[in-house]
């Protein structure tokens, strides 16, 4: 077709025989981006969806947790956040135990003073 649309770009190509022919130019791919921050994921090629199907699984993603979906920085912050939340739970539990032990001792002392 002759219309200059996004999917119908053509450029001239000189063949080894010296003739000029038209070459259909493929669309440029953006490549996968991080789902959290939106930056491009390093280590994954920028291809069209059809071309990703031809790649091996290890070539489509990065070899780590959330590989190919989230960037390294966002994965690091997720792991840190999860760890700190768990630590906070442990700290709360320890403080609650200390408070309950302190109340038990305090109530027994108060009872003995009244007598």
């Amino acid at each position: 077709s002759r219309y200059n649309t996004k999917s119908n770009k053509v450029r001239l190509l000189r063949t080894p025989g010296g003739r000029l022919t038209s070459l259909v130019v493929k669309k440029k791919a953006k490549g996968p981006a991080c789902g959290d921050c939106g930056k491009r994921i390093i280590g994954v090629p920028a291809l069209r969806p059809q071309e990703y199907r031809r790649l091996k699984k290890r070539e489509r993603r990065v070899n780590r947790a959330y590989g190919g979906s989230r960037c390294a920085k966002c994965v690091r912050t997720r792991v840190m956040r999860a760890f700190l939340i768990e630590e906070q739970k442990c700290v709360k539990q320890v403080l609650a135990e200390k408070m309950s032990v302190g109340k038990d001792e305090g109530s027994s002392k108060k009872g003995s003073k009244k007598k």
Side-chain angles (χ1 to χ4, degrees):
S1 63
R2 59 181 169 249
Y3 296 108
N4 191 23
T5 58
K6 275 199 280 187
S7 62
N8 197 28
K9 296 289 182 189
V10 177
R11 74 176 178 90
L12 287 175
L13 177 78
R14 176 166 267 117
T15 61
R19 290 189 307 142
L20 285 174
T21 60
S22 59
L23 178 74
V24 178
V25 180
K26 291 180 181 178
K27 282 186 181 180
K28 284 200 80 174
K30 285 181 105 179
C34 176
D36 290 348
C37 65
K39 291 180 182 172
R40 300 280 152 222
I41 293 173
I42 297 166
V44 182
L47 302 172
R48 300 297 294 171
Q50 191 70 36
E51 291 170 330
Y52 273 122
R53 288 187 206 139
R54 294 187 204 126
L55 291 182
K56 293 172 185 161
K57 194 172 182 181
R58 65 176 182 79
E59 293 168 343
R60 270 180 280 174
R61 58 184 171 81
V62 186
N63 193 12
R64 67 165 167 264
Y66 297 99
S69 170
R70 304 286 185 268
C71 69
K73 190 177 178 184
C74 292
V75 172
R76 198 178 299 130
T77 54
R78 274 179 182 230
V79 171
M80 281 287 274
R81 190 181 299 129
F83 173 75
L84 291 172
I85 288 168
E86 287 299 315
E87 282 291 304
Q88 191 67 30
K89 285 179 188 173
C90 293
V91 169
K92 278 184 182 177
Q93 190 178 0
V94 168
L95 286 173
E97 286 174 6
K98 279 188 179 180
M99 291 295 284
S100 64
V101 169
K103 284 181 181 177
D104 291 343
E105 288 176 1
S107 61
S108 62
K109 286 180 183 176
K110 286 178 183 175
S112 61
K113 285 182 181 176
K114 285 183 181 176
K115 290 178 184 177

